[in-house]
């Protein structure tokens, strides 16, 4: 079965500094991986997805993630944090039947 | 703009009453939709998979008689929380996968508060 582990429940960065949100996955076959962002009391927005093409995936709002099979990781990064990036981020793996398995989430706080 | 619309965005109801939440795909046909539940400060948990024209598939531990799902058309799925109790208060989110774009889109979510 597929599973996702987000290594940090909370991450705090200063505005303008890099962001790193860590995610490890477990999958019995080549997975599809996603990062979603959720702002308070809002739905989820797709940031980016990996579907076995390029291992470095670029998403919206300057985010990118690198799929590393040897490390079973799919960490989310951004060179320079903005105040509007403060939100909760979910790493997600797609399961058979198009079910999505969510990580526990990482709350990103951006300090001014 | 939103491609999956969920309504209402929030609802407050009395214990014992039923609440219906609608999920619509706006610009694609969705043979399958998913319903998730999110408790405060927790991740999303899949409740059930809604299949157009057939019965929903419920995840283990989810009461199918309590959470009624109807997927009557290719663009609409509904979740009815029957005989709601305060412990049903939660954030419910639907999603639908666009087969052409290969991406799952999420509704805005519904904040249910049972008093």
């Amino acid at each position: 079965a597929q599973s996702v582990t987000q290594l940090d429940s909370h991450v705090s960065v200063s505005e303008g500094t890099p962001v790193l949100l860590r995610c490890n996955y477990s999958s019995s076959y080549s997975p599809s991986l996603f990062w979603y962002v959720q702002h308070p009391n809002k739905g989820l927005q797709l940031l980016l997805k990996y579907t076995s093409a390029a291992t470095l995936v670029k998403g919206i709002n300057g985010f990118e993630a690198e799929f590393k099979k040897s490390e079973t990781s799919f960490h989310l990064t951004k060179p320079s944090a903005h105040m509007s990036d403060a939100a909760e981020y979910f790493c997600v793996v797609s399961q058979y039947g198009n079910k999505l398995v969510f990580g526990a989430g990482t709350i990103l706080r951006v300090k001014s | 703009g939103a491609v999956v619309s969920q309504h209402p965005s929030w609802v407050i109801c009395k214990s014992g009453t039923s609440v219906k939440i609608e999920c619509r795909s706006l610009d694609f046909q969705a043979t399958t939709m998913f319903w998730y539940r999110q408790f405060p400060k927790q991740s999303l948990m899949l409740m059930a998979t809604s299949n157009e024209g057939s019965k929903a598939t419920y995840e283990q531990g989810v009461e199918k008689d309590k959470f009624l799902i109807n997927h009557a058309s290719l663009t609409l799925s509904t979740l009815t929380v029957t005989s709601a109790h305060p412990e049903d208060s939660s954030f419910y989110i639907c999603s639908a996968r666009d087969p052409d774009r290969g991406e799952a889109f999420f509704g805005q979510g519904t904040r249910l508060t049972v008093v």
Side-chain angles (χ1 to χ4, degrees):
Chain A
Q2 284 73 17
S3 67
V4 173
T5 302
Q6 290 183 243
L7 299 167
D8 306 295
S9 59
H10 292 80
V11 170
S12 183
V13 301
S14 297
E15 190 174 21
T17 64
V19 175
L20 170 63
L21 305 183
R22 299 182 293 166
C23 172
N24 286 103
Y25 69 91
S26 171
S27 177
S28 55
Y29 58 90
S30 295
S32 292
L33 292 158
F34 309 82
W35 276 98
Y36 283 88
V37 61
Q38 184 182 33
H39 289 91
N41 292 314
K42 296 288 181 65
L44 291 105
Q45 181 182 21
L46 179 67
L47 282 179
L48 49 81
K49 62 180 178 181
Y50 166 78
T51 54
S52 74
T55 56
L56 182 61
V57 182
K58 293 187 183 297
I60 62 171
N61 301 335
F63 285 94
E64 62 181 40
E66 185 171 8
F67 174 73
K68 291 186 177 180
K69 186 175 182 179
S70 60
E71 298 177 8
T72 60
S73 69
F74 190 56
H75 300 335
L76 180 70
T77 61
K78 182 173 180 177
S80 176
H82 191 272
M83 295 298 289
S84 61
D85 294 327
E88 187 162 17
Y89 293 79
F90 293 96
C91 183
V92 181
V93 63
S94 177
Q95 198 171 347
Y96 176 77
N98 296 319
K99 293 181 183 179
L100 299 181
V101 177
F102 284 75
T106 299
I107 294 175
L108 174 65
R109 177 174 169 235
V110 182
K111 298 175 290 186
S112 57
Chain B
V3 296
V4 173
S5 176
Q6 188 172 340
H7 177 81
S9 57
W10 61 270
V11 58
I12 300 173
C13 70
K14 292 184 177 180
S15 289
T17 61
S18 296
V19 173
K20 179 184 285 188
I21 302 170
E22 293 187 347
C23 181
R24 295 179 183 275
S25 58
L26 300 181
D27 62 354
F28 64 94
Q29 294 183 331
T31 54
T32 304
M33 292 185 176
F34 303 90
W35 287 96
Y36 295 84
R37 181 174 181 176
Q38 184 179 32
F39 289 102
K41 300 183 180 180
Q42 293 188 31
S43 188
L44 282 77
M45 299 298 295
L46 180 65
M47 298 175 64
T49 302
S50 172
N51 305 299
E52 188 269 336
S54 64
K55 291 182 179 180
T57 304
Y58 291 82
E59 296 300 302
Q60 190 173 9
V62 178
E63 300 176 61
K64 60 181 180 182
D65 294 332
K66 180 157 188 68
F67 298 99
L68 299 179
I69 291 173
N70 184 278
H71 195 152
S73 77
L74 288 171
T75 59
L76 174 64
S77 175
T78 61
L79 168 68
T80 301
V81 183
T82 62
S83 187
H85 291 282
E87 57 265 31
D88 298 324
S89 299
S90 189
F91 193 57
Y92 294 86
I93 305 178
C94 70
S95 79
R97 184 177 178 275
D98 183 349
D100 292 333
R101 282 176 277 195
E103 179 181 334
F105 294 92
F106 286 81
Q108 304 94 317
T110 298
R111 171 73 60 192
L112 170 63
T113 302
V114 184
V115 297

